[in-house]
Amino acid sequence: MSRKTNFFLTMFLAFLLMLMFPTALTTVLYHNMNAVIKEDVQNSSNAMLRQVSLMIDSRLLEVEQLAAQIAFHPKINHMFSRKETLGALSIYQYKEIMDTLSFHFATNGFIQDRYVYFNKQDAVVTPYAKSDASDFYNIYYKYEELSESDWMKFLKNSSDQAGFLPAMNVAGKSTGGSGRLITYRRSIPIGMQGPSDGAVVVLIDTEQILKMLSNLESANKARIFVADREGRLLVRSGADGQLDEAGLDLDKLVEGKFTEYPESIGGERLMATKYVSAETGWQYISLVPHSVMMAKVNRTEMWALSLLGICILFGLLGAYLLAKRLYSPIHNLVSSILKRDSDDRNRVTAEFSLIEETLSKSWRSEEALKVVVDQQVPLIQSNFLNRLMNGIVDTQSLNEESLRFMGLRFDSDWFAVVIINVDDFRQIKLDNAEQQWAMIRFVISNISQELLGRRGVAHAVETELSRLVLLVNLHVEDEEERSVYLESVIDELKHVIENRFNIVLSIGASTIRQHYREIAVCHSEALEALEYRIVKGKSSVTYYREIDQARERARYYYPMELEMQLANAIKSGDFEQADQLMKHIEQMNFHSKQISLEMGRLLYFNMMSTLIKIWNDTSERVQHLLVDDFDPLRRLSNCSTLIEMQEQIRVIYQAICDSVIAAQRDPGAILVDHIASYIDEHYADNSLSLNSIAERFDLSPQYLSSFFKKHKGYNLADYMTRIRVERAKLLLKDSSLSLNRIAELVGYAKDAGLIRIFKKYVGVTPGKYREYMKE
């Protein structure tokens, strides 16, 4: 025996040694390609940062030139060197400085503005205004992240080097509301020691820098950072709250190197590239997700590992086949021994005698093996049925003998598949969970086989922990009687198991088909029918024929008018009306007709969309009145069936309505409701506008607009337009009314205004909408 083992193993190992060469070759190839690709990625990243640096440096040079031209201009130098004994500057002198600043400007859009600060006079002069420093800060350029005192320190800094403030949101008259700017400061006089007399300030538009960074950022999902020569962060692309918390430590990055950033964002590693401009000393850093940067490396690794796996697979197969072929002489000898009589065995060598003894033992254990095989029949049967229902059995080769070997018997050519899913159970309680499920499956299997065995045969297959598949072979000749019998047995089965054992079941049943080859089709139909419980809910019975019928009605009932009524009821806190509308939706979709599974899912998504709209419109008004963990979208997403979703929506709507009613006790909410009621009553007046409503309630138009949006969540004009559009929808149902007349009735002087607004909010023209209503 040992000689056989040594011979076969030696040959097998010899061939395995041949695998070492392709394995080693693949490994070396992988490492070389990995290094080349990493170097290529590093060079590409450095080149892109260098390109951005060149573009920004050229713009920054223009900024420095502009600051130098202003600082060295004779008139401005004269103003700074002017003696205090001459008194304050006159209006005419300030006008000369403003004209000088107006003369020096840049046309590339990189420079937002420029101004001169006079330290002694505490004055700021721009091309268009002169003001003291405090008024200039509060009126023209007020920094959201920098106090006035810190801004003054920045202006009075006497350093000979140019100074920068990082990108900040700046609000004021000059920015037209709000803008994000980088502040450049150059102290005056330039090149002299001692305290400064003032400063030239140039404001750089951050949007121009971000446009330069956008191509690099979008190409590989990079986060780009720009810092000055001292390492202070000036501007960055994108907005990443997690990275702000971690902070950007420039000291962790090696200049010009491609390294892995020590911090991670959301658990994702980052690869960092840093480039320092030789001209300005500005630092440019890109942080790219490791998964994006190393995509090529990962693909290379996948191909290398695949190649290695293929080599090993075919190598093992070839080694085995060759070793087996070389061992064939010994196999022939064993075959000869099996043919010899007992007298011939004595002339065989010791090795073959041992083989003969082993064979003798195998003969003696034949009976024991048969017993073991008999014990494995259920497992073989289950495996065969599983393959049969999944269509991976050659049904043409099936015969009575092969079926009898597996303990199966089919007495007719009519088959159906019934899938039973356990949704819940309460009465069967055992300490061991596996025993508990085994007991449940035992109960369902035995009762199913008993009931279906009256006029047929049922074979049970366990496919999942909570699922049992029944292959039913019916002995009923009449076609209509077969379907009636199968459905009656399924109803009886569900009733017995749920009432006697408190086991909640969902059942899916296929149509009845003829011949073995249709069993796989029956199994697919039963699976599809069972999946339909997402529409019917748990503890349901679904027949595949119902799905076929439902597919013919490829529509669900949820019109736009009904959705708007539901939203208005919730926003006004009228839960009783909302509940009636929900019941109407359920009646039209699940009782008056059966919608298909696909339409049920679409209805599910549409109702979720309605909830999102309502929640977005009311969250600011009612969120503070709800509990902290109130998360309607998470609650709705956790529902497994449409029935559960409908019940959960009722709970969510009840909570929102209660909060809306509570919020209405607020005087502000009461006033908003009065304004909304006024619009509802006077929407047909074409003179109704923001100004007229503000005059009616003794408010300014600006305050009324912001006040209404704060409480309602949308603009007053938008609300007024929506009311008119909804009224127009109702009037379009009356075919006797012309578009001009409808426009007058809803507050528009001509039908053109109604058509434009209607198409914007509804998506179609009033005429098309009227046609749809007729259909």
Side-chain angles (χ1 to χ4, degrees):
M1 185 68 177
S2 61
R3 195 182 301 174
K4 168 191 172 180
T5 304
N6 290 336
F7 178 77
F8 184 82
L9 185 59
T10 300
M11 296 305 299
F12 189 66
L13 291 177
F15 292 121
L16 287 181
L17 289 175
M18 298 175 62
L19 289 175
M20 294 181 63
F21 177 74
T23 302
L25 180 63
T26 303
T27 303
V28 172
L29 176 64
Y30 165 69
H31 284 292
N32 290 338
M33 291 182 66
N34 192 11
V36 170
I37 294 175
K38 281 187 177 180
E39 183 178 358
D40 178 62
V41 172
Q42 176 185 352
N43 293 336
S44 175
S45 183
N46 278 328
M48 296 185 77
L49 285 180
R50 193 178 299 110
Q51 180 181 2
V52 173
S53 171
L54 291 175
M55 292 189 294
I56 295 180
D57 287 351
S58 64
R59 299 295 192 278
L60 192 60
L61 180 60
E62 295 180 11
V63 172
E64 293 180 347
Q65 291 174 350
L66 176 63
Q69 290 173 2
I70 295 174
F72 288 111
H73 195 277
K75 290 185 179 180
I76 294 180
N77 266 327
H78 174 71
M79 298 304 176
F80 275 106
S81 60
R82 189 172 184 271
K83 296 182 180 181
E84 296 183 3
T85 55
L86 297 178
L89 296 175
S90 65
I91 296 176
Y92 174 75
Q93 291 171 326
Y94 279 120
K95 181 65 170 59
E96 286 185 335
I97 298 174
M98 293 169 62
D99 293 340
T100 301
L101 292 177
S102 299
F103 178 77
H104 295 285
F105 68 95
T107 60
N108 55 22
F110 188 75
I111 298 174
Q112 171 78 14
D113 203 355
R114 64 277 185 203
Y115 59 86
V116 179
Y117 169 69
F118 292 88
N119 191 5
K120 295 178 182 179
Q121 289 83 7
D122 190 29
V124 175
V125 180
T126 71
Y128 45 83
K130 177 267 174 184
S131 172
D132 62 77
S134 178
D135 289 342
F136 179 81
Y137 173 84
N138 289 287
I139 296 174
Y140 291 94
Y141 290 106
K142 184 173 184 179
Y143 295 79
E144 294 183 4
E145 305 169 26
L146 189 73
S147 65
E148 181 180 347
S149 60
D150 292 336
W151 175 69
M152 292 296 299
K153 291 179 182 179
F154 173 72
L155 294 181
K156 294 178 180 180
N157 191 306
S158 60
S159 172
D160 188 47
Q161 297 292 332
F164 291 90
L165 287 177
M168 297 184 186
N169 290 328
V170 181
K173 181 185 295 185
S174 297
T175 59
S178 178
R180 194 164 182 85
L181 306 174
I182 295 176
T183 306
Y184 170 92
R185 184 214 72 242
R186 191 73 174 182
S187 298
I188 299 178
I190 297 176
M192 297 182 62
Q193 301 295 328
S196 65
D197 295 332
V200 177
V201 180
V202 180
L203 299 176
I204 301 171
D205 188 0
T206 309
E207 290 297 325
Q208 299 298 322
I209 298 179
L210 293 179
K211 288 180 181 179
M212 298 179 187
L213 303 180
S214 61
N215 292 333
L216 178 59
E217 179 184 9
S218 60
N220 51 15
K221 301 181 181 179
R223 300 171 176 86
I224 311 302
F225 303 85
V226 181
D228 61 10
R229 65 175 66 248
E230 285 80 19
R232 294 174 297 182
L233 185 63
L234 296 178
V235 66
R236 52 167 293 177
S237 64
D240 198 331
Q242 293 175 306
L243 188 60
D244 290 339
E245 295 174 4
L248 179 66
D249 190 351
L250 301 180
D251 295 333
K252 293 180 180 179
L253 302 178
V254 180
E255 182 176 343
K257 297 295 183 181
F258 182 68
T259 59
E260 183 172 343
Y261 189 62
E263 305 292 342
S264 63
I265 300 179
E268 183 176 16
R269 295 182 298 165
L270 300 174
M271 303 300 291
T273 306
K274 177 179 176 182
Y275 177 77
V276 179
S277 171
E279 299 292 333
T280 63
W282 278 26
Q283 305 176 40
Y284 301 87
I285 303 99
S286 70
L287 294 180
V288 183
H290 185 275
S291 59
V292 175
M293 186 70 78
M294 305 303 290
K296 293 183 179 179
V297 178
N298 293 335
R299 286 196 297 270
T300 304
E301 181 179 7
M302 180 189 70
W303 281 105
L305 294 178
S306 300
L307 178 61
L308 180 61
I310 293 173
C311 291
I312 292 175
L313 177 63
F314 283 96
L316 288 174
L317 182 60
Y320 175 77
L321 293 176
L322 289 174
K324 184 177 180 181
R325 182 175 180 82
L326 292 174
Y327 185 68
S328 60
I330 298 178
H331 178 70
N332 293 333
L333 290 175
V334 173
S335 300
S336 300
I337 291 172
L338 294 176
K339 297 177 182 179
R340 290 178 182 273
D341 297 331
S342 57
D343 295 337
D344 295 329
R345 296 181 185 176
N346 296 327
R347 294 193 295 270
V348 182
T349 61
E351 182 180 22
F352 296 105
S353 297
L354 184 58
I355 295 175
E356 284 181 300
E357 182 181 350
T358 304
L359 291 175
S360 298
K361 291 180 180 178
S362 66
W363 292 333
R364 289 194 297 268
S365 61
E366 183 178 355
E367 294 299 326
L369 182 59
K370 289 182 178 180
V371 175
V372 174
V373 171
D374 292 338
Q375 294 175 349
Q376 297 299 320
V377 167
L379 180 60
I380 296 173
Q381 181 187 102
S382 177
N383 179 266
F384 170 77
L385 290 175
N386 205 344
R387 292 186 295 112
L388 179 64
M389 287 186 292
N390 284 281
I392 55 177
V393 173
D394 183 9
T395 55
Q396 294 181 355
S397 63
L398 289 179
N399 51 51
E400 292 185 6
E401 183 178 353
S402 60
L403 293 174
R404 191 183 308 112
F405 171 76
M406 289 175 286
L408 297 175
R409 176 174 58 88
F410 295 143
D411 297 334
S412 72
D413 292 335
W414 298 101
F415 296 91
V417 174
V418 178
I419 301 179
I420 302 174
N421 191 84
V422 179
D423 293 333
D424 192 13
F425 57 89
R426 290 176 290 275
Q427 183 168 320
I428 301 178
K429 295 183 180 180
L430 298 175
D431 295 335
N432 189 298
E434 185 61 34
Q435 292 179 358
Q436 192 174 35
W437 280 109
M439 179 62 69
I440 293 172
R441 291 195 294 268
F442 175 79
V443 169
I444 297 174
S445 176
N446 279 271
I447 295 177
S448 302
Q449 291 175 341
E450 179 181 351
L451 294 176
L452 291 168
R454 297 170 184 170
R455 301 182 67 180
V457 178
H459 299 284
V461 181
E462 300 172 4
T463 58
E464 296 179 14
L465 184 65
S466 61
R467 185 168 294 180
L468 199 69
V469 181
L470 300 176
L471 176 58
V472 183
N473 180 226
L474 296 171
H475 302 166
V476 184
E477 295 298 329
D478 184 71
E479 180 179 357
E480 183 177 353
E481 187 179 354
R482 278 195 299 268
S483 300
V484 173
Y485 170 72
L486 180 62
E487 293 179 10
S488 64
V489 173
I490 291 174
D491 293 339
E492 183 181 0
L493 169 65
K494 187 174 186 298
H495 176 78
V496 170
I497 293 178
E498 289 189 344
N499 287 276
R500 292 189 182 180
F501 300 96
N502 285 332
I503 300 176
V504 180
L505 304 178
S506 288
I507 300 177
S510 71
T511 57
I512 301 173
R513 294 180 175 269
Q514 190 175 14
H515 205 274
Y516 301 132
R517 60 177 174 270
E518 300 292 334
I519 292 177
V521 179
C522 292
H523 182 249
S524 299
E525 292 179 351
L527 281 174
E528 192 172 351
L530 182 64
E531 189 180 1
Y532 199 73
R533 65 178 178 152
I534 190 175
V535 177
K536 286 189 172 183
K538 296 179 179 179
S539 185
S540 61
V541 178
T542 305
Y543 299 96
Y544 184 76
R545 58 173 174 77
E546 298 175 353
I547 300 178
D548 273 349
Q549 296 170 358
R551 283 200 179 102
E552 297 176 358
R553 300 184 295 272
R555 291 186 180 182
Y556 62 84
Y557 178 78
Y558 195 53
M560 187 183 302
E561 295 85 356
L562 188 60
E563 181 184 15
M564 183 64 71
Q565 294 175 17
L566 180 62
N568 291 335
I570 299 301
K571 293 174 187 177
S572 62
D574 189 354
F575 177 74
E576 183 177 353
Q577 182 185 0
D579 187 52
Q580 292 297 324
L581 293 173
M582 287 289 294
K583 290 178 180 178
H584 179 60
I585 294 172
E586 295 169 13
Q587 174 66 29
M588 295 301 294
N589 287 288
F590 302 109
H591 301 294
S592 298
K593 64 177 181 178
Q594 287 289 337
I595 62 175
S596 65
L597 177 60
E598 293 79 7
M599 289 298 105
R601 286 173 174 157
L602 292 178
L603 176 60
Y604 177 94
F605 295 144
N606 206 342
M607 296 183 74
M608 284 191 68
S609 173
T610 301
L611 176 60
I612 292 173
K613 295 175 185 176
I614 295 173
W615 178 242
N616 287 338
D617 290 343
T618 60
S619 59
E620 293 185 2
R621 298 172 54 194
V622 306
Q623 195 169 21
H624 64 285
L625 300 171
L626 298 169
V627 295
D628 294 336
D629 60 347
F630 185 75
D631 190 348
L633 299 182
R634 177 177 56 79
R635 291 186 182 183
L636 205 57
S637 299
N638 291 335
C639 297
S640 59
T641 66
L642 287 175
I643 304 301
E644 293 179 6
M645 185 202 71
Q646 293 157 8
E647 295 302 323
Q648 191 61 243
I649 284 180
R650 279 190 171 86
V651 175
I652 295 171
Y653 284 169
Q654 178 71 69
I656 296 177
C657 287
D658 293 343
S659 301
V660 168
I661 293 173
Q664 289 175 350
R665 300 190 184 100
D666 178 24
I670 295 174
L671 177 57
V672 166
D673 290 340
H674 286 325
I675 295 172
S677 298
Y678 180 79
I679 295 173
D680 293 344
E681 294 175 3
H682 299 84
Y683 68 90
D685 185 358
N686 57 18
S687 64
L688 186 68
S689 64
L690 176 64
N691 291 329
S692 65
I693 298 173
E695 183 179 355
R696 167 66 177 78
F697 288 93
D698 197 18
L699 299 171
S700 68
Q702 295 81 5
Y703 177 78
L704 173 61
S705 178
S706 60
F707 175 78
F708 191 88
K709 184 174 183 180
K710 176 181 177 182
H711 284 79
K712 283 290 188 180
Y714 40 80
N715 294 329
L716 184 142
D718 187 47
Y719 176 78
M720 184 165 56
T721 303
R722 289 180 183 274
I723 291 296
R724 287 172 169 172
V725 169
E726 291 304 316
R727 298 300 186 271
K729 286 182 181 179
L730 297 177
L731 293 174
L732 285 169
K733 295 180 180 179
D734 188 354
S735 58
S736 63
L737 294 176
S738 65
L739 286 182
N740 275 326
R741 180 55 180 161
I742 294 175
E744 294 174 359
L745 292 175
V746 297
Y748 291 99
K750 296 182 180 180
D751 60 346
L754 173 62
I755 294 172
R756 178 177 56 83
I757 294 299
F758 195 93
K759 186 173 183 181
K760 176 181 177 182
Y761 279 83
V762 182
V764 296
T765 62
K768 286 290 185 181
Y769 183 83
R770 173 173 277 175
E771 293 178 7
Y772 295 154
M773 293 296 294
K774 291 180 180 179
E775 293 177 1

